[in-house]
Amino acid sequence: MAWGTLGYIYFVNHLQYWLIIVVLSTIKIIDLESNSFKTVSIRKEDVQKRWFLVDASDQNLGRMCSKVAKILRGKHKPSFTPHVDCGDNVIIINASKINLTGNKWSDKKYISYTGYPGGQRVKTAQQLYDKNPSIIVEKAVKGMLPKNKLGAAIFKNLRVYNDELHKQESQSPEPINLNNI
């Protein structure tokens, strides 16, 4: 389309907003008030939570956890409300088969503090993995959630298991492929 063939004209007529689009000398009038939609702010009681099952085998840690955090937060739903826990429950299995790229097994540091002077503790990703592989996944997802009471409530909707066995069979979780999200 050449420069000048598309033009927009806005004007107000008796408190009604009109948009006139001029395309190649064809005029189309759109009433902006009739095309407006109300923003849906969902309440905590109206949230419909589902259960999803994620297989972490051969998944990169950060890419997988960012998608899980989006599901936990509820940003994949059209009724997303920032101040409400409107996300779904997620079960992650096979956390022991997670993948870290590059030299992150030895270079990535997890720092904790005991509360006493000189009590700063530093562990590598390999040391945490040897202790419990699910801790790495939990820390990654928790770091991608809000740092407030809502983030703590959302984090309770996550279950991480090192192998394929999990305790939420009665919820009948739906398997989800994160590569398609």
Side-chain angles (χ1 to χ4, degrees):
M1 189 179 321
W3 181 262
T5 59
L6 175 65
Y8 296 100
I9 303 170
Y10 295 97
F11 67 91
V12 179
N13 184 10
H14 295 285
L15 300 177
Q16 289 186 349
Y17 295 97
W18 298 84
L19 173 65
I20 299 177
I21 301 175
V22 180
V23 179
L24 296 175
S25 70
T26 303
I27 297 175
K28 183 176 182 183
I29 299 175
I30 300 173
D31 184 8
L32 293 179
E33 287 183 5
S34 66
N35 289 338
S36 64
F37 297 100
K38 294 200 176 212
T39 302
V40 177
S41 183
I42 195 165
R43 296 183 305 162
K44 186 170 108 175
E45 298 84 26
D46 299 333
V47 174
Q48 295 177 353
K49 290 187 169 276
R50 295 168 36 195
W51 287 81
F52 291 112
L53 182 67
V54 174
D55 189 7
S57 57
D58 298 327
Q59 294 277 338
N60 289 337
L61 178 67
R63 293 177 186 272
M64 180 196 72
C65 291
S66 65
K67 293 174 184 175
V68 168
K70 183 187 272 189
I71 294 171
L72 284 172
R73 186 83 200 275
K75 288 193 167 191
H76 65 288
K77 295 181 177 181
S79 62
F80 170 69
T81 306
H83 63 277
V84 177
D85 178 13
C86 57
D88 295 320
N89 297 295
V90 178
I91 303 163
I92 298 177
I93 59 172
N94 293 324
S96 59
K97 297 178 184 174
I98 198 75
N99 183 28
L100 288 177
T101 59
N103 295 327
K104 291 188 186 113
W105 287 113
S106 59
D107 292 348
K108 188 167 176 60
K109 307 289 184 203
Y110 291 93
I111 299 173
S112 62
Y113 183 61
T114 63
Y116 291 97
Q120 183 175 355
R121 305 288 186 249
V122 179
K123 290 186 178 181
T124 63
Q126 187 64 49
Q127 290 171 336
L128 271 181
Y129 181 83
D130 294 339
K131 182 177 180 183
N132 188 359
S134 63
I135 292 175
I136 295 176
V137 176
E138 288 174 356
K139 283 183 174 283
V141 171
K142 190 168 189 176
M144 297 178 188
L145 295 175
K147 286 26 172 210
N148 52 23
K149 292 179 185 178
L150 178 63
I154 291 171
F155 184 69
K156 291 180 183 177
N157 296 329
L158 175 69
R159 313 290 197 287
V160 183
Y161 296 99
N162 293 332
D163 52 0
E164 292 186 3
L165 302 175
H166 60 88
K167 300 175 185 175
Q168 281 76 28
E169 290 291 335
S170 59
Q171 279 77 22
S172 63
E174 305 170 30
I176 187 169
N177 187 3
L178 293 180
N179 296 329
N180 296 336
I181 292 180

